[in-house]
Every structure is written in C-alpha cells, then in structure tokens.
Amino acid sequence: GGGACWDEATILLGNKTCRNKARNPPWRGILNASQPENLYKNHTVVYVVYCSGDMHAGNTSHRFLVPGRRDFEQRGFANANSAFQWTLQQ
C-alpha cells in the first residue's frame, strides 16, 4: 500500500508512513488461491494498490515544502470508487 501522509512531517518520515511506490499484495491467507483449504480460492480477487498516501480516501492536491517533492495529488477516493464500480459490473 501507499501508507498515509497528510503533512510535511509525515512525508519526511518516508517509508514509515508515506510510500511512493505500490507494493505487491501478500499472497497468503484468503489471498492464497493455491491452498486447497482456502474457501475463496475460486473467487475473483480485486486488489486495489495505491501509492498516493491517502488510504483510498483522498480527493485533494497539496503543495508541501518537502525537498525533491512539492506537489502531491491524492486521488485515492476516485481510484477506489472506479475499482468498486468495475467490480459491481462483473
């Protein structure tokens, strides 16, 4: 996931709270379709990754005074809603 960042302090903490690269899902537990005992192994999984730091809820732009990165777009709400709408249509 993309972590959570909402101000200069959380951005400066780097990977502790705010990530700038989406990570692959942990293919274990109910996400592990190769496990015979997994009740969801034959279901479709929609895994919505993000790297905007808004926890799928943002709809804003920020200008932070952070070295190397000034403008931040947090549009996770629109992205998550789009994935949700796609899922409903399947």
Side-chain angles (χ1 to χ4, degrees):
C5 44
W6 52 90
D7 58 16
E8 287 92 346
T10 53
I11 292 168
L12 290 172
L13 286 172
N15 284 339
K16 294 180 182 173
T17 61
C18 185
R19 297 186 178 100
N20 61 5
K21 183 178 179 184
R23 295 181 179 182
N24 288 327
W27 297 112
R28 57 185 180 264
I30 64 170
L31 296 178
N32 188 347
S34 66
Q35 292 294 331
E37 65 273 8
N38 184 352
L39 299 176
Y40 301 100
K41 66 181 176 231
N42 295 318
H43 289 69
T44 299
V45 174
V46 178
Y47 189 84
V48 182
V49 298
Y50 73 104
C51 59
S52 59
D54 63 10
M55 300 187 319
H56 301 291
N59 189 27
T60 189
S61 297
H62 298 286
R63 180 168 273 257
F64 294 132
L65 300 176
V66 178
R69 294 178 66 190
R70 291 184 59 106
D71 297 321
F72 289 79
E73 293 287 331
Q74 293 184 308
R75 305 290 177 205
F77 179 79
N79 294 336
N81 189 48
S82 182
F84 181 68
Q85 295 303 319
W86 178 87
T87 302
L88 290 176
Q89 294 173 8
Q90 301 309 305

